[in-house]
Amino acid sequence: MPNALAAKGGQRVSVVLPARDEQNTVGPIVATIREYLMENAPLVDEVIVVDSRSVDATAQVAREAGARVVSQDEMTRGLPRLEGKGDALWAGLAAASGDVVAFIDADLQEFRPHFVTGLVGPLLADESIAFVKGFYHRPLVRAGHVEPDGGGRVTELTARPLLNFFWPELAGFVQPLAGEYAGRREVLERVPFVSGYGVETALLVDLLELVGLDALAQVDLGERKHRHQSTEALGRMSAQILLTVWERLYRRGHVTAPRPPATTLTQFRRGGGDARPALDRQILTTDVTVAERPPLIQVRDRMPRQSPSMQV
């Protein structure tokens, strides 16, 4: 911590948490950042929670813990409505004032300050670094059984093979889908943000092309504990990552169409009142199309001015 403070100088540091229905975890994360990184040591200048259309008390809990809470919809007022985590991240970047901006998922359990210091430290200490990605062990708890590294299922089954095949320069990133990362705002404002779960994949690919591999770094953050999504939800996440990769392959001339032949994902859920008799399963169809916000620098003059009325 002393080294990070010494390296900070006059730079401002923002921490952004995108949050949808995270009332159980967002408060302790914000309170930890405020106590250890704002009050005890002035490393972080602001902590922002982007309320992503929560229907629970996420915004209230975050505000009471000491965060500045902004609405995803208010920050993107006047622009097309988009869904997903990537849009909330983009809104958080627009709301942040820091020279260095760190993004932290709001569902982390047993959060510790090193999640922030580990990400921003390299950026403060080395001006050649533009972006820092976190990696960690992700235990998966199921029926009382713990798999020490079982939490990265979409990474191993979807993201890593795609990146290894098409962007082998990124093969060395341990967890390309990690939700904890930080970057220089001047760089982050120059890349688009995919609206859905393809955002982390898109950021790595786009930043590789913008600043080069030598400006990208990763840091070991130890262990990450959080709630896990169902296999069904992970299937939809994987589909959005595939679409994100497809669009970037199109931009490089490796595929001839901007979108694949179909963007609807069909899944089957066992049982339920709407189960088909012959299948004993419900048929679920989801449009997994991903959109993206343009680089923030292109639309900065169209963004709403920040004011107390913007807080929710």
Side-chain angles (χ1 to χ4, degrees), residues 232 235-237 239 263-267 284-288:
E232 184 180 290
R236 294 189 289 270
M237 183 185 301
T263 57
T264 298
L265 177 67
T266 300
Q267 296 175 296
L284 308 174
T285 57
T286 306
D287 182 2
V288 293

Side-chain angles (χ1 to χ4, degrees), residues 2-24:
N3 292 337
L5 286 173
K8 181 183 177 183
Q11 300 177 84
R12 285 181 57 81
V13 175
S14 302
V15 178
V16 172
L17 287 80
R20 174 178 290 183
D21 298 331
E22 302 292 359
Q23 64 179 12
N24 295 329

